[in-house]
Each structure stands twice: as structure tokens, then as C-alpha cells.
Amino acid sequence: MGKIIAVVNQKGGVGKTTTTLNLGYALAEAEKKVLLIDFDPQSSLTVCMGYDDTDSLPCTIATLMQKVMEDLDLPEDCQYIYHPASQSSKTLDFIPCSMELSAVDVSLVNAVCRESILKGILGQLAEGYDYIIIDCSPSLGMLTINALVAAQAVIIPVTPEYLSAKGLEILLKNILRVKRKINPELEIEGILFTMFKERMRLTQTVEDIICNTYGSAIPIYETKIPCSVKVGESNLQSQSIIQYAKQNKVSLAYKALAREVAGDE
């Protein structure tokens, strides 16, 4: 059964989508069967996969969530499992998202077993993959709770900035609450530093704060994802940085992260 990983942080702009996309590609290059799930109504991962007109997609993760809430049968896999538009990868699939997921988020308030809707969907898919990676929305709402209930592991991308570090405490409390009350299998896989500028004093200061505060209780990845303008360029081309610039420092870092993730198995 595949390992389900939620990439979570309630703060936006910390590299959740970039991490989901490039970790997925790196694992796929290592011959792992990977499914990525865009679980953010902003649909950034879907756009990065080459599907700009997200509202025209006939079947998305929102469709699946709605069908489960209405106790309807899910469609065939081929109707909602897509492939990157820029590459016919045999080992990387993804389920897209659209703004419709915002309406589903509201509907979850009154749904039966509302925290476990996504878990029910992924339970039918996990056998076919080595890894399922969920790109979560920048919030601590019901969508993120669904991702935490469905997952066995959490990756927390954090930029080396004071406000990013400050928000970690609230996030960790919510993860531990889900673990204690709903999903005892949930573990924090690690804190991942992204947009890392090693020579900046602020970067070193925030890194020290996070390591000293949480390092004894929570794993922190040895790999740190550096800054590069190539990431933005690759997104514009609907490619992962690994496709766009294989020898770029960010590409190499995500390959190293994939080895860390796979090495934990």
C-alpha cells in the first residue's frame, strides 16, 4: 500500500506546490509510482502540470469529494487521473483541482464523517502507488484536516523567515490534535527549509531558532531547497525544475530530498 504524504503549512508562499511537484518528479525518476493531488482551490499544481483552464476540467478532486458526500459511486479512474501535459510519464499521475473545491470546503461543515472524505477516496487508490503526495491549501480548515486524516506522513515546508517560524507552533498543535483524536498513524516526516539563502544572517538565525525549538522532537531534513529564478521559469513552462534544468541547484536538492524520503522506508 502506498505511503500518503501531506505537504502542509497554513502560511502561503512557502513552497508547498513546488515541493509537491518536484518531489513527485524526483521520486518518479527513481522509478517510484507516484500520484500527486492538487488539494488547494487555487489550483496551482494543476496549472504547473499544464492545465491552465482548470474550470473546464470535467472531473477533479472536488468532483470526487462531492460524490462521496452525496453517497454516489466514483467515476472510473481514467476520468479523473491525469498525466503531466508536458510529459507522458508512466510513473507520475495526478488528480487536478478547480475553484469548485472552495464550494466543497463549505459543504464539508454539514457532511457525515466530514474529516474522512478524502481518506475514503485515497483508500481505493493507494494500492496502485508507492507514494501519494497531497498539495494542501494554505489554511488550517476542513480541507487540510481531511488531508491530515488521509495521510500517514506530513512534510512541512518552511521558509527561513521569522513569521514562517512563528506559525509553526499553531500548525504543530493542529497536527498533534488530529493524530491524537482521529489519525493515530500520522507522523511528521520532517520540516523542510525552502527558499534557503545560506549566506544571509536572517536565514541562519531563523534556522537556529527552529532547530533549537523543535529539532529534538521533530525531524528536520538535511536537504535544504535553495532559491533560484529557474523555479519560476519552469512553472511558466508547465514543467518541474527537474525537467526544465536538470543540473540546477534546486533540481539537485529535490533529488536529494527524494532520497531522504525514500530512505525512510
Side-chain angles (χ1 to χ4, degrees):
M1 184 172 180
K3 184 175 186 177
I4 302 174
I5 302 173
V7 181
V8 178
N9 195 321
Q10 79 275 20
K11 189 178 186 301
V14 297
K16 290 188 295 296
T17 298
T18 299
T19 294
T20 302
L21 175 66
N22 290 291
L23 176 58
Y25 265 95
L27 289 168
E29 278 201 346
E31 299 184 351
K32 304 295 185 181
K33 187 81 166 103
V34 182
L35 175 67
L36 306 183
I37 298 177
D38 191 346
F39 208 51
D40 180 357
Q42 296 179 66
S43 309
S44 298
L45 179 62
T46 301
V47 172
C48 288
M49 285 291 194
Y51 297 84
D52 292 330
D53 189 5
T54 58
D55 289 333
S56 69
L57 296 173
C59 191
T60 67
I61 191 65
T63 312
L64 306 184
M65 296 280 288
Q66 194 66 49
K67 285 188 176 296
V68 172
M69 286 191 290
E70 295 174 0
D71 203 23
L72 299 173
D73 292 335
L74 294 180
E76 295 295 322
D77 293 3
C78 61
Q79 296 183 42
Y80 60 83
I81 292 181
Y82 289 66
H83 306 284
S86 61
Q87 174 183 327
S88 57
S89 173
K90 294 182 179 180
T91 61
L92 182 68
D93 298 333
F94 87 102
I95 300 178
C97 187
S98 69
M99 279 298 295
E100 187 183 356
L101 189 61
S102 294
V104 171
D105 191 12
V106 175
S107 301
L108 281 170
V109 174
N110 298 315
V112 177
C113 300
R114 59 185 182 176
E115 299 94 349
S116 303
I117 303 296
L118 182 62
K119 182 178 181 178
I121 295 169
L122 299 189
Q124 302 180 39
L125 296 171
E127 292 292 340
Y129 294 93
D130 296 306
Y131 294 94
I132 296 177
I133 308 176
I134 309 168
D135 181 25
C136 297
S137 61
S139 74
L140 293 175
M142 193 51 63
L143 290 177
T144 299
I145 297 299
N146 262 262
L148 293 175
V149 171
Q152 291 103 39
V154 179
I155 292 176
I156 305 173
V158 176
T159 54
E161 300 169 340
Y162 176 70
L163 292 178
S164 184
K166 186 76 173 172
L168 262 179
E169 183 178 356
I170 298 171
L171 174 61
L172 293 172
K173 284 182 178 177
N174 277 270
I175 293 172
L176 293 175
R177 187 176 294 120
V178 170
K179 177 180 174 65
R180 186 173 62 250
K181 295 187 174 182
I182 310 175
N183 182 9
E185 296 182 0
L186 186 65
E187 299 291 345
I188 298 175
E189 185 99 343
I191 294 172
L192 173 69
F193 286 106
T194 59
M195 305 179 203
F196 198 80
K197 299 177 181 178
E198 191 170 359
R199 295 183 180 180
M200 285 186 62
R201 182 178 298 176
L202 176 61
T203 295
Q204 295 171 353
T205 300
V206 175
E207 180 186 8
D208 289 342
I209 290 172
I210 291 175
C211 290
N212 292 334
T213 304
Y214 303 110
S216 61
I218 299 171
I220 297 175
Y221 287 108
E222 290 185 17
T223 302
K224 298 174 179 64
I225 310 300
C227 284
S228 174
V229 295
K230 293 292 184 182
V231 174
E233 292 176 10
S234 67
N235 290 340
L236 188 63
Q237 298 298 321
S238 299
Q239 293 183 334
S240 72
I241 185 67
I242 293 170
Q243 293 173 282
Y244 184 75
K246 288 188 176 181
Q247 296 306 313
N248 180 270
K249 57 186 179 180
V250 179
S251 298
L252 299 177
Y254 274 114
K255 289 179 181 179
L257 176 64
R259 289 192 292 271
E260 277 198 73
V261 170
D264 289 340
E265 296 302 295

